[in-house]
Coordinates of all heavy atoms in Angstrom, one line a residue:
M8 N -30.1 3.7 -114.7 CA -30.7 4.7 -115.6 C -29.6 5.2 -116.5 O -28.5 5.6 -116.1 CB -31.3 5.8 -114.7 CG -32.0 6.8 -115.5 SD -32.9 7.9 -114.3 CE -33.7 8.8 -115.4
A9 N -29.9 5.3 -117.8 CA -28.9 5.8 -118.8 C -28.8 7.3 -118.8 O -29.8 8.0 -118.5 CB -29.3 5.3 -120.2
E10 N -27.6 7.8 -119.0 CA -27.4 9.2 -119.0 C -27.8 9.8 -120.4 O -27.5 9.2 -121.4 CB -25.9 9.5 -118.8 CG -25.5 11.0 -118.8 CD -24.0 11.2 -118.7 OE1 -23.4 10.3 -118.1 OE2 -23.6 12.2 -119.2
V11 N -28.5 10.9 -120.4 CA -28.9 11.5 -121.6 C -27.8 12.4 -122.1 O -27.2 13.2 -121.3 CB -30.2 12.3 -121.4 CG1 -30.6 13.1 -122.6 CG2 -31.3 11.4 -120.9
V12 N -27.4 12.3 -123.4 CA -26.3 13.1 -124.0 C -26.9 14.4 -124.4 O -27.8 14.5 -125.2 CB -25.7 12.3 -125.2 CG1 -24.6 13.2 -125.8 CG2 -25.1 11.0 -124.7
D13 N -26.3 15.5 -123.9 CA -26.7 16.9 -124.2 C -25.8 17.4 -125.4 O -24.6 17.6 -125.2 CB -26.6 17.8 -123.0 CG -27.0 19.2 -123.3 OD1 -27.5 19.5 -124.4 OD2 -26.9 20.0 -122.4
R14 N -26.4 17.4 -126.6 CA -25.6 17.8 -127.7 C -25.0 19.2 -127.7 O -24.0 19.5 -128.2 CB -26.4 17.6 -129.0 CG -26.7 16.2 -129.2 CD -26.2 15.8 -130.6 NE -26.5 14.4 -130.9 CZ -25.6 13.6 -131.3 NH1 -24.4 14.0 -131.5 NH2 -25.9 12.3 -131.5
K15 N -25.7 20.1 -127.0 CA -25.2 21.5 -126.8 C -24.0 21.5 -126.0 O -23.0 22.3 -126.3 CB -26.3 22.4 -126.2 CG -27.5 22.6 -127.1 CD -28.5 23.5 -126.5 CE -29.7 23.7 -127.4 NZ -30.8 24.4 -126.7
R16 N -23.9 20.7 -125.0 CA -22.7 20.7 -124.1 C -21.6 20.1 -124.9 O -20.4 20.5 -124.8 CB -23.0 19.8 -122.9 CG -21.9 19.8 -121.9 CD -22.2 18.9 -120.8 NE -22.2 17.5 -121.2 CZ -21.5 16.6 -120.6 NH1 -20.8 16.8 -119.5 NH2 -21.5 15.4 -121.1
R17 N -21.9 19.1 -125.8 CA -20.8 18.5 -126.6 C -20.3 19.5 -127.6 O -19.1 19.4 -128.0 CB -21.3 17.2 -127.3 CG -21.9 16.2 -126.4 CD -20.8 15.6 -125.6 NE -21.3 14.5 -124.8 CZ -20.8 14.1 -123.7 NH1 -19.6 14.5 -123.3 NH2 -21.4 13.1 -123.0
G18 N -21.1 20.4 -128.1 CA -20.7 21.4 -129.0 C -19.6 22.3 -128.4 O -18.7 22.8 -129.1
L19 N -19.7 22.6 -127.1 CA -18.7 23.3 -126.4 C -17.4 22.6 -126.4 O -16.3 23.2 -126.6 CB -19.1 23.6 -125.0 CG -20.2 24.6 -124.8 CD1 -20.6 24.7 -123.3 CD2 -19.9 26.0 -125.3
L20 N -17.4 21.3 -126.3 CA -16.2 20.5 -126.3 C -15.5 20.4 -127.7 O -14.3 20.6 -127.8 CB -16.5 19.1 -125.8 CG -15.4 18.0 -125.9 CD1 -14.3 18.3 -124.9 CD2 -15.9 16.6 -125.7
L21 N -16.4 20.2 -128.7 CA -15.9 20.1 -130.1 C -15.6 21.4 -130.8 O -14.9 21.4 -131.8 CB -16.9 19.2 -130.9 CG -17.0 17.8 -130.3 CD1 -18.1 17.1 -131.1 CD2 -15.8 17.0 -130.3
G22 N -16.2 22.5 -130.3 CA -15.9 23.8 -130.8 C -16.4 24.0 -132.3 O -17.5 23.5 -132.6
P23 N -15.6 24.6 -133.1 CA -16.1 24.9 -134.5 C -16.5 23.7 -135.3 O -17.3 23.8 -136.2 CB -14.9 25.7 -135.1 CG -14.0 26.1 -134.0 CD -14.3 25.1 -132.9
F24 N -15.8 22.6 -135.0 CA -16.1 21.4 -135.8 C -17.5 21.0 -135.6 O -18.2 20.5 -136.6 CB -15.1 20.2 -135.4 CG -15.3 19.0 -136.2 CD1 -15.0 19.1 -137.6 CD2 -15.7 17.8 -135.7 CE1 -15.1 17.9 -138.4 CE2 -15.8 16.7 -136.5 CZ -15.5 16.8 -137.8
A25 N -18.1 21.1 -134.4 CA -19.5 20.7 -134.2 C -20.4 21.7 -134.9 O -21.5 21.3 -135.3 CB -19.7 20.7 -132.7
R26 N -20.1 22.9 -135.0 CA -20.9 23.9 -135.6 C -20.9 23.8 -137.1 O -21.9 24.2 -137.8 CB -20.5 25.3 -135.2 CG -20.8 25.6 -133.7 CD -20.6 27.1 -133.4 NE -19.1 27.4 -133.4 CZ -18.4 27.4 -132.4 NH1 -18.9 27.1 -131.2 NH2 -17.1 27.7 -132.4
E27 N -19.9 23.2 -137.7 CA -19.8 23.1 -139.1 C -20.6 21.9 -139.7 O -20.9 21.9 -140.9 CB -18.3 22.9 -139.6 CG -17.5 24.1 -139.4 CD -16.0 23.8 -139.6 OE1 -15.7 22.7 -140.1 OE2 -15.2 24.7 -139.4
R28 N -21.1 21.1 -138.8 CA -21.9 19.9 -139.2 C -23.2 20.4 -139.8 O -23.8 21.2 -139.3 CB -22.1 19.0 -138.1 CG -20.9 18.3 -137.6 CD -21.2 17.3 -136.5 NE -22.6 17.3 -136.0 CZ -23.1 16.7 -135.0 NH1 -22.2 15.9 -134.3 NH2 -24.3 16.7 -134.6
S29 N -23.6 19.8 -140.9 CA -24.9 20.0 -141.5 C -25.9 19.0 -141.0 O -25.5 18.0 -140.3 CB -24.8 20.0 -143.0 OG -24.6 18.7 -143.5
A30 N -27.1 19.1 -141.4 CA -28.1 18.1 -140.9 C -27.9 16.8 -141.6 O -28.5 15.8 -141.2 CB -29.5 18.7 -141.2
D31 N -27.1 16.8 -142.7 CA -27.0 15.5 -143.5 C -25.7 14.7 -143.0 O -25.4 13.7 -143.6 CB -26.8 15.8 -145.0 CG -28.1 16.4 -145.6 OD1 -29.1 16.1 -145.0 OD2 -28.0 17.1 -146.5
T32 N -25.0 15.2 -142.0 CA -23.8 14.5 -141.6 C -23.9 14.2 -140.1 O -24.6 14.9 -139.3 CB -22.5 15.3 -141.8 OG1 -22.6 16.5 -141.1 CG2 -22.3 15.5 -143.3
S33 N -23.2 13.2 -139.6 CA -23.1 12.9 -138.2 C -21.7 12.5 -137.9 O -20.9 12.1 -138.8 CB -24.1 11.8 -137.8 OG -23.7 10.6 -138.4
L34 N -21.2 12.7 -136.7 CA -19.9 12.3 -136.3 C -19.8 10.9 -135.8 O -20.8 10.4 -135.1 CB -19.4 13.2 -135.2 CG -19.1 14.7 -135.5 CD1 -18.8 15.5 -134.3 CD2 -18.1 14.8 -136.6
N35 N -18.8 10.2 -136.2 CA -18.5 8.9 -135.7 C -17.1 8.7 -135.3 O -16.2 9.4 -136.0 CB -18.9 7.8 -136.7 CG -20.4 7.6 -136.8 OD1 -21.1 7.6 -135.8 ND2 -20.9 7.4 -138.0
A36 N -16.8 7.9 -134.3 CA -15.4 7.7 -133.9 C -14.8 6.7 -134.9 O -15.4 5.8 -135.3 CB -15.4 7.2 -132.5
V37 N -13.5 6.9 -135.1 CA -12.7 6.0 -135.9 C -11.4 5.7 -135.1 O -10.7 6.6 -134.6 CB -12.3 6.6 -137.3 CG1 -11.4 5.7 -138.1 CG2 -13.6 6.9 -138.0
I38 N -11.1 4.4 -135.0 CA -9.9 4.0 -134.2 C -8.8 3.7 -135.1 O -8.9 2.9 -136.1 CB -10.2 2.7 -133.4 CG1 -11.4 3.0 -132.4 CG2 -9.0 2.3 -132.6 CD1 -11.9 1.7 -131.7
G39 N -7.6 4.4 -134.9 CA -6.5 4.3 -135.8 C -5.5 3.2 -135.3 O -5.7 2.5 -134.3
A40 N -4.5 3.0 -136.1 CA -3.5 2.0 -135.9 C -2.6 2.2 -134.7 O -2.0 1.2 -134.2 CB -2.6 1.9 -137.1
S41 N -2.6 3.4 -134.1 CA -1.8 3.6 -132.9 C -2.5 3.1 -131.6 O -1.9 3.3 -130.5 CB -1.4 5.1 -132.8 OG -2.5 5.9 -132.6
C42 N -3.6 2.5 -131.8 CA -4.4 2.0 -130.6 C -3.5 1.0 -129.9 O -2.9 0.1 -130.5 CB -5.7 1.4 -131.1 SG -6.6 0.5 -129.8
L43 N -3.5 1.1 -128.6 CA -2.6 0.2 -127.7 C -3.1 -1.2 -127.8 O -2.3 -2.1 -127.8 CB -2.6 0.7 -126.3 CG -2.0 2.1 -126.0 CD1 -2.2 2.4 -124.5 CD2 -0.6 2.1 -126.4
A44 N -4.4 -1.4 -127.9 CA -4.9 -2.8 -128.1 C -4.5 -3.5 -129.3 O -4.3 -4.7 -129.3 CB -6.5 -2.8 -128.0
F45 N -4.3 -2.7 -130.4 CA -3.8 -3.3 -131.7 C -2.3 -3.7 -131.5 O -1.8 -4.5 -132.3 CB -3.9 -2.3 -132.8 CG -5.3 -2.1 -133.2 CD1 -5.7 -0.9 -133.7 CD2 -6.3 -3.1 -133.2 CE1 -7.0 -0.6 -134.1 CE2 -7.6 -2.8 -133.6 CZ -8.0 -1.6 -134.0
Q46 N -1.6 -3.2 -130.5 CA -0.2 -3.5 -130.3 C 0.0 -4.5 -129.2 O 1.1 -4.8 -128.7 CB 0.5 -2.2 -129.9 CG 0.5 -1.2 -131.0 CD 1.0 0.2 -130.6 OE1 1.9 0.2 -129.7 NE2 0.6 1.2 -131.3
G47 N -1.2 -5.1 -128.8 CA -1.1 -6.2 -127.8 C -1.0 -5.7 -126.3 O -0.8 -6.5 -125.4
I48 N -1.3 -4.4 -126.1 CA -1.3 -3.9 -124.8 C -2.8 -3.8 -124.3 O -3.6 -3.2 -125.0 CB -0.7 -2.5 -124.8 CG1 0.8 -2.6 -125.2 CG2 -0.8 -1.8 -123.4 CD1 1.4 -1.2 -125.5
A49 N -3.0 -4.3 -123.1 CA -4.4 -4.3 -122.6 C -4.8 -2.9 -122.2 O -4.3 -2.3 -121.2 CB -4.5 -5.2 -121.4
C50 N -5.7 -2.3 -122.9 CA -6.2 -1.0 -122.7 C -7.7 -0.9 -123.1 O -8.0 -1.3 -124.3 CB -5.4 0.1 -123.4 SG -6.1 1.8 -123.2
M51 N -8.6 -0.5 -122.3 CA -10.0 -0.4 -122.6 C -10.5 0.9 -122.1 O -11.7 1.0 -121.8 CB -10.8 -1.6 -122.1 CG -10.4 -2.9 -122.6 SD -11.4 -4.2 -122.1 CE -10.7 -5.6 -122.9
S52 N -9.7 2.0 -122.2 CA -10.1 3.3 -121.7 C -11.2 3.8 -122.5 O -12.1 4.5 -122.0 CB -8.9 4.3 -121.7 OG -7.9 3.8 -120.9
C53 N -11.2 3.6 -123.8 CA -12.3 4.2 -124.7 C -13.6 3.5 -124.4 O -14.6 4.2 -124.3 CB -11.9 4.0 -126.1 SG -11.6 2.3 -126.6
R54 N -13.6 2.2 -124.2 CA -14.8 1.5 -123.9 C -15.4 2.0 -122.5 O -16.6 2.2 -122.4 CB -14.6 0.0 -123.8 CG -15.9 -0.8 -123.6 CD -15.7 -2.1 -123.0 NE -15.0 -2.0 -121.7 CZ -14.7 -3.0 -121.0 NH1 -14.8 -4.3 -121.5 NH2 -14.1 -2.9 -119.8
D55 N -14.5 2.2 -121.5 CA -15.0 2.6 -120.2 C -15.6 4.0 -120.3 O -16.5 4.3 -119.5 CB -13.8 2.5 -119.2 CG -13.4 1.1 -119.0 OD1 -14.1 0.1 -119.3 OD2 -12.2 0.9 -118.5
A56 N -15.1 4.9 -121.1 CA -15.5 6.3 -121.2 C -16.7 6.4 -122.1 O -17.4 7.5 -122.0 CB -14.4 7.1 -121.7
C57 N -17.0 5.4 -122.9 CA -18.1 5.6 -123.9 C -19.5 5.5 -123.2 O -19.9 4.4 -122.8 CB -18.0 4.5 -125.0 SG -19.2 4.7 -126.3
T58 N -20.2 6.6 -123.1 CA -21.5 6.6 -122.4 C -22.5 5.8 -123.2 O -23.3 5.1 -122.6 CB -21.9 8.1 -122.2 OG1 -20.9 8.8 -121.5 CG2 -23.2 8.2 -121.5
P59 N -22.6 5.9 -124.5 CA -23.7 5.2 -125.2 C -23.3 3.7 -125.4 O -24.0 2.9 -126.0 CB -23.8 5.9 -126.5 CG -22.6 6.7 -126.7 CD -22.0 7.0 -125.4
A60 N -22.1 3.3 -124.9 CA -21.6 1.9 -125.1 C -21.5 1.5 -126.5 O -21.9 0.4 -126.9 CB -22.5 0.9 -124.3
A61 N -20.9 2.3 -127.4 CA -20.7 2.1 -128.8 C -19.4 1.4 -129.1 O -19.2 0.9 -130.2 CB -20.8 3.4 -129.6
I62 N -18.5 1.3 -128.1 CA -17.2 0.6 -128.3 C -17.3 -0.7 -127.6 O -17.5 -0.8 -126.4 CB -16.1 1.5 -127.8 CG1 -16.1 2.8 -128.6 CG2 -14.7 0.7 -128.0 CD1 -15.0 3.8 -128.1
C63 N -17.0 -1.8 -128.4 CA -16.9 -3.1 -127.8 C -15.6 -3.7 -128.2 O -14.9 -3.3 -129.1 CB -18.1 -4.0 -128.2 SG -18.2 -4.2 -130.0
F64 N -15.1 -4.7 -127.4 CA -13.9 -5.4 -127.7 C -14.2 -6.8 -128.0 O -14.9 -7.5 -127.3 CB -13.0 -5.3 -126.4 CG -12.2 -4.0 -126.3 CD1 -12.8 -2.9 -125.9 CD2 -10.9 -4.0 -126.7 CE1 -12.2 -1.7 -125.9 CE2 -10.2 -2.8 -126.6 CZ -10.8 -1.6 -126.2
D65 N -13.7 -7.3 -129.2 CA -13.9 -8.6 -129.6 C -12.6 -9.4 -129.4 O -11.5 -8.9 -129.6 CB -14.2 -8.6 -131.2 CG -15.4 -7.8 -131.5 OD1 -16.4 -7.9 -130.7 OD2 -15.4 -7.0 -132.5
L66 N -12.7 -10.6 -129.0 CA -11.6 -11.5 -128.7 C -10.9 -11.8 -130.1 O -11.6 -12.2 -131.0 CB -12.0 -12.8 -128.0 CG -12.4 -12.5 -126.5 CD1 -12.8 -13.9 -125.9 CD2 -11.3 -11.9 -125.7
A67 N -9.6 -11.8 -130.1 CA -8.9 -12.1 -131.3 C -7.5 -12.7 -130.9 O -7.1 -12.6 -129.7 CB -8.6 -10.8 -132.1
F68 N -6.8 -13.3 -131.8 CA -5.5 -13.8 -131.5 C -4.6 -12.7 -131.1 O -4.4 -11.8 -131.8 CB -5.0 -14.6 -132.7 CG -3.7 -15.3 -132.4 CD1 -3.7 -16.4 -131.6 CD2 -2.5 -14.8 -132.9 CE1 -2.5 -17.1 -131.4 CE2 -1.3 -15.5 -132.7 CZ -1.3 -16.6 -131.9
G69 N -4.0 -12.8 -129.9 CA -3.1 -11.8 -129.4 C -3.8 -10.8 -128.5 O -3.1 -9.9 -128.0
G70 N -5.0 -10.9 -128.3 CA -5.7 -10.0 -127.3 C -7.0 -9.5 -127.9 O -7.4 -9.7 -129.1
A71 N -7.7 -8.7 -127.1 CA -9.0 -8.1 -127.6 C -8.8 -6.9 -128.5 O -7.8 -6.2 -128.4 CB -9.8 -7.6 -126.3
R72 N -9.6 -6.8 -129.5 CA -9.5 -5.7 -130.5 C -10.8 -4.8 -130.4 O -11.9 -5.4 -130.4 CB -9.4 -6.3 -131.9 CG -8.2 -7.2 -132.1 CD -6.9 -6.3 -132.1 NE -5.8 -7.1 -132.4 CZ -4.8 -7.5 -131.5 NH1 -4.9 -7.1 -130.3 NH2 -3.8 -8.2 -131.9
P73 N -10.6 -3.5 -130.4 CA -11.8 -2.6 -130.3 C -12.5 -2.5 -131.6 O -11.9 -2.6 -132.7 CB -11.2 -1.3 -129.9 CG -9.9 -1.3 -130.5 CD -9.4 -2.8 -130.4
S74 N -13.9 -2.4 -131.6 CA -14.7 -2.0 -132.7 C -15.8 -1.1 -132.3 O -16.1 -1.1 -131.1 CB -15.2 -3.3 -133.4 OG -16.1 -4.0 -132.5
I75 N -16.2 -0.3 -133.2 CA -17.2 0.7 -133.0 C -18.5 0.3 -133.7 O -18.5 0.0 -134.9 CB -16.8 2.1 -133.4 CG1 -15.5 2.5 -132.7 CG2 -17.9 3.1 -133.2 CD1 -14.9 3.8 -133.1
V76 N -19.6 0.3 -132.9 CA -20.9 0.1 -133.5 C -21.4 1.4 -134.0 O -21.8 2.3 -133.2 CB -21.9 -0.5 -132.4 CG1 -23.3 -0.7 -133.0 CG2 -21.3 -1.7 -131.8
M77 N -21.4 1.6 -135.3 CA -21.7 2.9 -135.9 C -23.1 3.4 -135.6 O -23.3 4.6 -135.5 CB -21.4 2.9 -137.4 CG -19.9 2.7 -137.7 SD -19.0 4.1 -137.1 CE -17.3 3.6 -137.6
D78 N -24.0 2.5 -135.6 CA -25.4 2.9 -135.3 C -25.6 3.4 -133.9 O -26.5 4.1 -133.6 CB -26.4 1.7 -135.6 CG -26.4 1.3 -137.0 OD1 -26.1 2.1 -137.9 OD2 -26.7 0.1 -137.3
T79 N -24.7 3.0 -133.0 CA -24.9 3.4 -131.6 C -24.0 4.6 -131.3 O -24.3 5.4 -130.4 CB -24.4 2.3 -130.7 OG1 -25.2 1.1 -131.0 CG2 -24.7 2.6 -129.2
C80 N -22.9 4.9 -132.0 CA -22.0 6.0 -131.8 C -22.7 7.3 -132.0 O -23.3 7.5 -133.1 CB -20.8 5.9 -132.7 SG -19.6 7.2 -132.5
T81 N -22.6 8.2 -131.0 CA -23.3 9.5 -131.1 C -22.3 10.6 -131.5 O -22.7 11.7 -131.7 CB -23.9 9.9 -129.7 OG1 -22.9 10.0 -128.7 CG2 -25.0 8.9 -129.3
G82 N -21.0 10.3 -131.6 CA -20.0 11.3 -131.9 C -19.8 12.3 -130.8 O -19.3 13.4 -131.0
C83 N -20.0 11.8 -129.5 CA -19.9 12.7 -128.4 C -18.4 13.1 -128.1 O -18.1 14.1 -127.5 CB -20.5 12.1 -127.1 SG -19.7 10.6 -126.5
G84 N -17.5 12.2 -128.4 CA -16.0 12.6 -128.2 C -15.5 12.1 -126.9 O -14.3 12.4 -126.6
D85 N -16.3 11.4 -126.0 CA -15.8 11.0 -124.8 C -14.6 10.0 -124.9 O -13.6 10.0 -124.2 CB -16.9 10.3 -123.9 CG -17.9 11.3 -123.4 OD1 -17.6 12.5 -123.4 OD2 -19.0 10.9 -123.0
C86 N -14.7 9.2 -125.9 CA -13.6 8.2 -126.2 C -12.3 8.9 -126.6 O -11.2 8.4 -126.3 CB -14.0 7.1 -127.2 SG -14.6 7.8 -128.8
V87 N -12.4 10.0 -127.4 CA -11.3 10.7 -127.9 C -10.5 11.3 -126.7 O -9.2 11.2 -126.6 CB -11.7 11.8 -128.8 CG1 -10.5 12.7 -129.2 CG2 -12.4 11.3 -130.0
Q88 N -11.2 11.8 -125.7 CA -10.5 12.4 -124.5 C -9.9 11.3 -123.7 O -8.9 11.6 -123.0 CB -11.6 13.1 -123.7 CG -12.2 14.3 -124.4 CD -11.2 15.4 -124.8 OE1 -10.3 15.7 -124.0 NE2 -11.3 16.0 -125.9
A89 N -10.4 10.1 -123.6 CA -9.9 9.0 -122.7 C -8.8 8.3 -123.3 O -8.1 7.6 -122.6 CB -11.1 8.1 -122.4
C90 N -8.6 8.3 -124.6 CA -7.6 7.5 -125.3 C -6.1 8.0 -124.9 O -5.8 9.1 -125.3 CB -7.8 7.5 -126.8 SG -6.5 6.4 -127.6
P91 N -5.3 7.1 -124.3 CA -3.9 7.6 -123.9 C -3.0 7.6 -125.1 O -2.0 8.3 -125.1 CB -3.5 6.6 -122.9 CG -4.3 5.3 -123.2 CD -5.6 5.8 -123.8
A92 N -3.4 7.0 -126.2 CA -2.5 6.9 -127.4 C -3.0 7.9 -128.5 O -2.4 7.9 -129.6 CB -2.5 5.5 -128.0
D93 N -4.0 8.7 -128.3 CA -4.5 9.6 -129.3 C -4.9 8.8 -130.6 O -4.6 9.3 -131.7 CB -3.6 10.7 -129.6 CG -3.5 11.7 -128.4 OD1 -4.5 11.8 -127.7 OD2 -2.4 12.3 -128.2
A94 N -5.4 7.6 -130.4 CA -5.7 6.8 -131.6 C -7.1 7.0 -132.1 O -7.4 6.4 -133.2 CB -5.5 5.3 -131.2
I95 N -8.0 7.7 -131.5 CA -9.4 7.9 -131.9 C -9.6 9.3 -132.4 O -9.2 10.3 -131.8 CB -10.3 7.6 -130.7 CG1 -10.0 6.2 -130.2 CG2 -11.8 7.7 -131.2 CD1 -10.8 5.8 -129.0
Q96 N -10.3 9.4 -133.6 CA -10.7 10.6 -134.1 C -12.1 10.6 -134.4 O -12.7 9.6 -134.7 CB -9.9 10.9 -135.4 CG -8.4 11.0 -135.3 CD -7.7 11.2 -136.6 OE1 -8.4 11.2 -137.7 NE2 -6.5 11.5 -136.6
L97 N -12.7 11.8 -134.5 CA -14.1 11.9 -134.9 C -14.1 12.3 -136.4 O -13.5 13.3 -136.7 CB -14.9 12.9 -134.0 CG -15.0 12.6 -132.6 CD1 -15.8 13.7 -131.9 CD2 -15.8 11.3 -132.4
C98 N -14.9 11.6 -137.2 CA -15.0 11.9 -138.6 C -16.4 12.1 -139.0 O -17.3 11.4 -138.4 CB -14.4 10.8 -139.4 SG -12.6 10.6 -139.1
A99 N -16.7 12.9 -139.9 CA -18.0 13.1 -140.4 C -18.4 12.0 -141.3 O -17.6 11.5 -142.1 CB -18.2 14.4 -141.2
R100 N -19.7 11.5 -141.2 CA -20.2 10.4 -142.0 C -21.5 10.9 -142.6 O -22.3 11.4 -141.9 CB -20.4 9.2 -141.1 CG -21.0 8.0 -141.9 CD -21.2 6.8 -141.1 NE -22.4 7.1 -140.2 CZ -23.1 6.1 -139.7 NH1 -22.8 4.9 -139.9 NH2 -24.2 6.4 -138.9
E101 N -21.6 10.7 -143.9 CA -22.8 11.1 -144.6 C -24.0 10.1 -144.2 O -23.7 8.9 -144.1 CB -22.6 11.0 -146.1 CG -21.7 12.1 -146.6 CD -22.2 13.4 -146.5 OE1 -23.4 13.7 -146.7 OE2 -21.4 14.4 -146.2
V102 N -25.1 10.7 -143.9 CA -26.3 9.9 -143.6 C -27.1 9.7 -144.9 O -27.4 10.6 -145.6 CB -27.1 10.6 -142.5 CG1 -28.4 9.8 -142.2 CG2 -26.3 10.8 -141.3
A103 N -27.4 8.4 -145.1 CA -28.2 8.1 -146.3 C -29.6 8.6 -146.2 O -30.2 8.5 -145.2 CB -28.2 6.6 -146.6
H104 N -30.1 9.2 -147.3 CA -31.5 9.7 -147.3 C -32.4 8.6 -147.7 O -32.1 7.9 -148.7 CB -31.6 10.9 -148.3 CG -30.9 12.1 -147.8 ND1 -31.3 12.9 -146.8 CD2 -29.7 12.7 -148.2 CE1 -30.5 13.9 -146.6 NE2 -29.5 13.8 -147.4
E105 N -33.5 8.5 -147.0 CA -34.5 7.5 -147.4 C -35.5 8.1 -148.4 O -35.9 9.2 -148.2 CB -35.2 6.9 -146.2 CG -34.2 6.4 -145.2 CD -34.7 5.1 -144.6 OE1 -35.8 4.6 -145.0 OE2 -34.0 4.5 -143.8
P106 N -35.9 7.4 -149.5 CA -36.8 8.0 -150.5 C -38.2 8.1 -149.9 O -38.6 7.6 -149.0 CB -36.8 7.0 -151.6 CG -36.1 5.7 -151.1 CD -35.4 6.1 -149.8

């Protein structure tokens, strides 16, 4: 059974940044260059901590590389807390309006 993400609880974790979000934006995780997997070190802490399973690792030359499925990412911040290299940040992404 999948765990339901409580956005109010996540607001406590993210503090003022979560309150500043408008209805037209959503948070998404972004993985930076300091990621251990990009340096050839086997680390999948972010994937293991991601409740909605938005982080996957693709096989590449030199080891697995992380990628984020933006449609699945809820911006909960679990991956940010789990990353030992502080390589993940939450960034606001504009949501396209449908006509």
Side-chain angles (χ1 to χ4, degrees):
M8 184 172 185
E10 178 183 334
V11 177
V12 177
D13 182 4
R14 293 238 179 230
K15 290 180 183 176
R16 185 180 72 127
R17 300 297 182 197
L19 291 174
L20 172 70
L21 298 175
F24 186 63
R26 288 188 290 266
E27 291 173 5
R28 293 185 351 188
S29 69
D31 294 335
T32 62
S33 64
L34 292 177
N35 281 322
V37 177
I38 301 174
S41 64
C42 174
L43 297 177
F45 291 147
Q46 300 171 24
I48 300 170
C50 176
M51 296 186 179
S52 298
C53 57
R54 183 201 64 184
D55 296 341
C57 184
T58 304
I62 301 176
C63 60
F64 278 76
D65 303 316
L66 292 179
F68 185 72
R72 301 290 186 249
S74 62
I75 298 175
V76 181
M77 293 299 179
D78 293 337
T79 308
C80 181
T81 61
C83 66
D85 287 343
C86 56
V87 175
Q88 298 296 323
C90 181
D93 293 328
I95 304 175
Q96 296 180 352
L97 294 179
C98 295
R100 178 181 73 155
E101 293 293 323
V102 177
H104 292 286
E105 303 225 359

